[in-house]
Amino acid sequence: MKKALVTGVTGQDGSYLAEFLLDKGYEVHGLIRRSSSYNQERLEDLLTEEEANALLNNSNFHLHYGDVTDALNVTRIISEIKPDEIYNLAAQSHVRVSFDMPGYTLDVDAKGTLNILEAVRILSLTEKTRVYQASTSELYGKVQEVPQKETTPFYPRSPYGVAKIYGFWITKNYRESYNMFAVNGILFNHESERRGETFVTRKITLAASRIAQGKQEKLFLGNLNSLRDWGYAKDYVECMWLILQHDKPEDFVIATGEMHTVREFVEFAFKHTGIHIEWQGDGIDEKGINKETGEVIVEVDPKFFRPAEVEQLLGDPTKSKTLLGWNPTKTSFEQLVQIMVEADMRKVENEEKVKVMFD
Ligand code: NAP
Ligand code: G4F
């Protein structure tokens, strides 16, 4: 039985990956942080009762308290498990928040990655343990080429992107220096019903569901023109695994090859709740109006603008399609929006009216 260690197991991708690996027959070890409030919802509440029982009562699933910034702790856990595969998904993953917390983002996203690679080296596991690093399309930032592929030069635009660029290169450097199977998945945005509530897609699907059910009045957003290549997280975790099963350690772009604006995402999400949006005005005065009632339900709030923006991201998945046999469009953009809205319509049914939205 293969053993895998997943850091960031309580996050969107970590929770899907843990399920995926358990289904493949792996013994899965997850790293969780101590928190004053409960942080295991994605491993429990967001799943159906059947799925949650299957995951939490699975004798092949083990949770370890830890933090990737704590090198001693990470080294001890790796020395006890001696995993065949490590998926380093732990990160301060919010781009706007990284402008508020650049130092912390550096510690987790850059030094955290080094701590894992160093532990594998110090413990003489370089021949046994394969390491997957969660790299990101944010590395391309101010894009130098459209679409972006494995050879496109990087130009990060946030403390998050800059910290992740260290993660990318240190992974490649350990591969080249110590002959390790250490690889980067350069993943473009991927979303799901488990997406964190302050990322734009989930913020939109939750708000659209609440507005449709009379539990929220308006949705405030930042840059509506921003373009993203959005895929479905459940499809993307399969690719993380495929990258580690490949015969050669190589870096891969994972994307759909299609991009949409934030504005389009808003239109599709509301459409699935039965509300049709009409846009009026420009720039910070642009408003989304409910066509049937004439009410303003979407407005722009400059507080959600970023000091430096990534205006567009579009990935070229040719390499992963050809070498890994991965299907980038298993779930279409419209299906993704529908899955998220349907889940949030069910979720908000039992909610009280929202009092205040800070983010
Ligand atoms: P997410 O939902 O924000 O999850 C992040 C996970 O990292 C959570 O489990 C979090 O724990 C954990 N974590 C944060 N700081 C940690 C620390 N210091 N030590 C240990 N664990 C820590 O992110 P995601 O969307 O699943 O993304 C997974 C990874 O892929 C991240 O590295 C992200 O940067 C990268 N990525 C994501 C996308 C995307 O579109 N989703 C695209 C490209 C790359 P808590 O639950 O305790 O906060
Ligand atoms: O959903 P977002 O916050 O995701 P972003 O910044 O693209 O980052 C995500 O994808 C990366 C991969 O490319 C990951 F590496 C990263 O960890 C994360 O998962 O914002 C998407 C776009 C941005 O251009 C943002 O300016 O939506 C725009 N936006 C407009 N209004 C908003 C809002 N973003 C957020 N979070 N909140 C808004 O109100």
Side-chain angles (χ1 to χ4, degrees):
M1 183 186 275
K2 273 196 183 176
K3 287 185 197 174
L5 170 64
V6 180
T7 72
V9 75
T10 54
Q12 170 187 256
D13 293 5
S15 66
Y16 282 122
L17 182 65
E19 283 165 47
F20 176 87
L21 294 172
L22 286 168
D23 276 354
K24 287 257 170 232
Y26 277 68
E27 180 177 303
V28 177
H29 296 259
L31 193 73
I32 53 163
R33 293 196 289 178
R34 195 270 153 184
S35 162
S36 68
S37 51
Y38 192 61
N39 66 356
Q40 292 164 39
E41 287 89 351
R42 286 196 185 83
L43 299 176
E44 200 181 277
D45 290 1
L46 294 185
L47 314 178
T48 63
E49 207 173 327
E50 208 175 73
E51 285 169 335
N53 284 336
L55 186 62
L56 294 176
N57 299 331
N58 190 320
S59 61
N60 292 329
F61 186 53
H62 309 271
L63 293 174
H64 305 258
Y65 278 108
D67 194 302
V68 292
T69 59
D70 180 348
L72 285 176
N73 159 271
V74 164
T75 307
R76 177 185 57 76
I77 290 171
I78 295 175
S79 83
E80 284 172 10
I81 303 168
K82 298 193 177 45
D84 299 284
E85 295 171 8
I86 298 177
Y87 296 85
N88 181 33
L89 309 185
Q92 190 305 92
S93 72
H94 203 285
V95 174
R96 194 192 49 77
V97 172
S98 78
F99 288 97
D100 301 336
M101 305 176 76
Y104 175 72
T105 305
L106 176 75
D107 288 344
V108 181
D109 299 9
K111 182 78 188 316
T113 308
L114 174 66
N115 288 342
I116 284 168
L117 293 163
E118 244 325 67
V120 171
R121 187 174 78 91
I122 291 169
L123 295 166
S124 304
L125 290 170
T126 48
E127 282 185 20
K128 175 182 170 71
T129 306
R130 295 186 167 198
V131 181
Y132 171 91
Q133 167 60 12
S135 283
T136 163
S137 47
E138 280 290 309
L139 300 178
Y140 300 118
K142 189 172 177 184
V143 298
Q144 303 295 296
E145 181 179 35
V146 181
Q148 296 84 55
K149 47 184 184 281
E150 288 78 5
T151 50
T152 303
F154 297 144
Y155 194 140
R157 292 273 281 172
S158 63
Y160 169 79
V162 175
K164 280 278 187 180
I165 219 165
Y166 177 87
F168 175 92
W169 281 111
I170 199 69
T171 300
K172 194 164 171 158
N173 179 258
Y174 270 55
R175 173 163 91 223
E176 292 172 356
S177 306
Y178 308 117
N179 204 22
M180 274 175 70
F181 199 112
V183 287
N184 292 284
I186 308 173
L187 270 59
F188 283 62
N189 298 53
H190 45 281
E191 318 295 313
S192 73
E193 56 274 42
R194 296 187 200 168
R195 184 60 144 149
E197 296 181 10
T198 61
F199 295 97
V200 79
T201 57
R202 188 74 199 290
K203 181 172 166 180
I204 295 168
T205 59
L206 262 176
S209 305
R210 287 176 177 144
I211 290 170
Q213 294 183 30
K215 293 177 177 169
Q216 184 176 331
E217 261 134 56
K218 265 186 212 170
L219 164 63
F220 292 94
L221 291 170
N223 183 5
L224 298 172
N225 295 318
S226 182
L227 284 152
R228 287 292 181 275
D229 179 330
W230 280 299
Y232 187 33
K234 211 170 176 172
D235 300 340
Y236 281 40
V237 298
E238 182 195 359
C239 224
M240 297 176 185
W241 176 77
L242 285 171
I243 291 172
L244 281 197
Q245 311 316 306
H246 190 51
D247 47 4
K248 270 196 350 222
E250 288 183 59
D251 305 324
F252 287 87
V253 160
I254 308 299
T256 69
E258 196 182 303
M259 63 179 174
H260 298 270
T261 60
V262 170
R263 190 181 292 99
E264 275 176 89
F265 198 103
V266 171
E267 284 166 17
F268 275 96
F270 275 99
K271 193 184 88 182
H272 284 296
T273 72
I275 296 175
H276 296 274
I277 296 251
E278 197 169 66
W279 298 100
Q280 282 180 14
D282 288 313
I284 58 165
D285 296 323
E286 185 166 359
K287 292 185 194 333
I289 320 267
N290 181 335
K291 244 185 184 172
E292 284 79 39
T293 65
E295 281 167 317
V296 175
I297 50 177
V298 186
E299 280 196 47
V300 174
D301 184 338
K303 101 171 174 204
F304 296 114
F305 293 158
R306 293 166 183 191
E309 175 65 293
V310 172
E311 299 293 346
Q312 58 154 298
L313 289 171
L314 178 67
D316 176 353
T318 307
K319 184 177 173 188
S320 55
K321 258 169 48 180
T322 320
L323 293 187
L324 303 175
W326 181 67
N327 173 8
T329 46
K330 199 161 148 194
T331 308
S332 69
F333 174 70
E334 182 135 20
Q335 282 168 328
L336 167 68
V337 182
Q338 188 175 349
I339 291 168
M340 293 178 70
V341 172
E342 283 177 0
D344 280 335
M345 285 296 270
R346 285 193 299 275
K347 176 186 154 67
V348 305
E349 259 167 29
N350 305 316
E351 267 184 6
E352 299 290 314
K353 195 166 176 179
V354 172
K355 290 195 193 100
V356 64
M357 299 285 293
F358 290 110
D359 216 334

